Amino acid sequence: PNEVTSEVVEYLGEVDMGDPESLSDFLFWAAEEYPAEHTALIMWNHGDGWSLKPGSNTGGPSEFISWDEGDNNWMSIVEGDLNAGLQDYVDVHGKLDIIGFDACNMGFWEVAHSLREYADYMTASQTVVYMEGYQYDYTIDTIHENGSISPVEVADNLVWPAAELNGETAQAVTNLAMMDDLALAIDQLAVDVLNDVDSLGEPFLAARDDTRSAHGGSWGDYYLDLGDLADQLADRPEAALATHGENVR
């Protein structure tokens, strides 16, 4: 159980996993060597979703996915590194069916919105992912047993075994086609609050303060549950906030 016993297809030597070019090269290699009707890309690593600067003065989380321990390099979502690693492949082959994150703290609308032009579905957890992560044996067996399984069913069979069998209860499938609508609802909420700060600023912040942290740890202010924020807003007596809460929800 502690050794890789499958056949070595090719030995590449040291490869920088934090370099978008490494990701791009891998995607083209996989498409050529293992052509398929549907494609899922799984990023397995530490993850910290969406943050401007690692080790910032605010003491917030780092910004990476695919951290390379040898080169101390990583791909940032907010700075476009992950998108850069996907762009050339998507330009040639079209969208991936699934981008999955077997990594902590990646299930956020900002991440999903940034990937909407690169895949149809995203699988991720908005909080911690344990060492076992996705139950690949279960998922692959399910695919083998049903050759006509759809991409969204594959995505579902990634996340629910991780939740049921590995206790990762914040795992979810996100339909990336809905991200523009969600972004519009959030933008409209922000515009109205910023245009009427005197009346809506304080109650909006009160709703925010009452919103559950997705993370539950020291980065609670970074990792809020968007669905719960929408619920909090929908329950506010201010009609504008209540309407926006319903729209976001």
Side-chain angles (χ1 to χ4, degrees), residues 124-128 130 159-160 162-164 166-172:
S125 170
Q126 68 174 345
T127 183
V128 295
Y130 303 124
V159 302
W160 82 255
E164 293 286 330
N166 202 32
E168 297 172 11
T169 55
Q171 286 279 358

Side-chain angles (χ1 to χ4, degrees), residues 91-121:
D91 286 345
V92 173
H93 294 282
K95 288 184 182 180
L96 295 150
D97 290 278
I98 301 166
I99 294 178
F101 294 100
D102 198 346
C104 296
N105 305 322
M106 297 301 292
F108 301 115
W109 87 267
E110 295 94 337
V111 176
H113 183 264
S114 75
L115 295 176
R116 70 196 186 284
E117 296 178 358
Y118 299 92
D120 293 326
Y121 299 99

Side-chain angles (χ1 to χ4, degrees), residues 36-239:
E37 295 178 18
H38 300 287
T39 304
L41 168 68
I42 309 296
M43 306 292 290
W44 180 89
N45 192 238
H46 298 294
D48 273 321
W50 185 268
S51 182
L52 288 175
K53 294 289 183 182
S56 63
N57 293 333
T58 60
S62 298
E63 56 179 306
F64 57 71
I65 183 68
S66 198
W67 172 48
D68 188 288
E69 295 185 30
D71 294 286
N72 199 32
N73 197 9
W74 58 76
M75 283 183 260
S76 166
I77 306 290
V78 71
E79 294 180 356
D81 297 336
L82 180 58
N83 290 6
L86 300 170
Q87 189 68 61
D88 288 347
Y89 174 89
V90 171
D91 286 345
V92 173
H93 294 282
K95 288 184 182 180
L96 295 150
D97 290 278
I98 301 166
I99 294 178
F101 294 100
D102 198 346
C104 296
N105 305 322
M106 297 301 292
F108 301 115
W109 87 267
E110 295 94 337
V111 176
H113 183 264
S114 75
L115 295 176
R116 70 196 186 284
E117 296 178 358
Y118 299 92
D120 293 326
Y121 299 99
M122 182 182 86
T123 65
S125 170
Q126 68 174 345
T127 183
V128 295
V129 166
Y130 303 124
M131 290 302 294
E132 301 236 342
Y134 289 147
Q135 308 296 296
Y136 295 102
D137 52 350
Y138 179 92
T139 305
I140 292 171
D141 285 347
T142 301
I143 295 170
H144 284 168
E145 291 166 5
N146 180 6
S148 62
I149 191 171
S150 68
V152 71
E153 290 174 315
V154 172
D156 187 55
N157 278 279
L158 279 169
V159 302
W160 82 255
E164 293 286 330
L165 304 177
N166 202 32
E168 297 172 11
T169 55
Q171 286 279 358
V173 181
T174 299
N175 179 356
L176 297 180
M178 300 298 293
M179 286 302 101
D180 282 332
D181 288 343
L182 178 58
L184 178 61
I186 292 172
D187 286 348
Q188 289 171 335
L189 163 64
V191 167
D192 278 3
V193 172
L194 291 172
N195 284 341
D196 191 5
V197 172
D198 291 342
S199 298
L200 299 180
E202 186 173 333
F204 174 82
L205 291 177
R208 181 190 185 281
D209 288 342
D210 290 337
T211 298
R212 288 197 311 267
S213 167
H215 191 271
S218 58
W219 296 335
D221 284 346
Y222 280 81
Y223 297 140
L224 295 179
D225 184 273
L226 180 59
D228 192 49
L229 174 61
D231 290 341
Q232 298 292 338
L233 292 171
D235 289 340
R236 293 293 308 181
E238 297 81 14

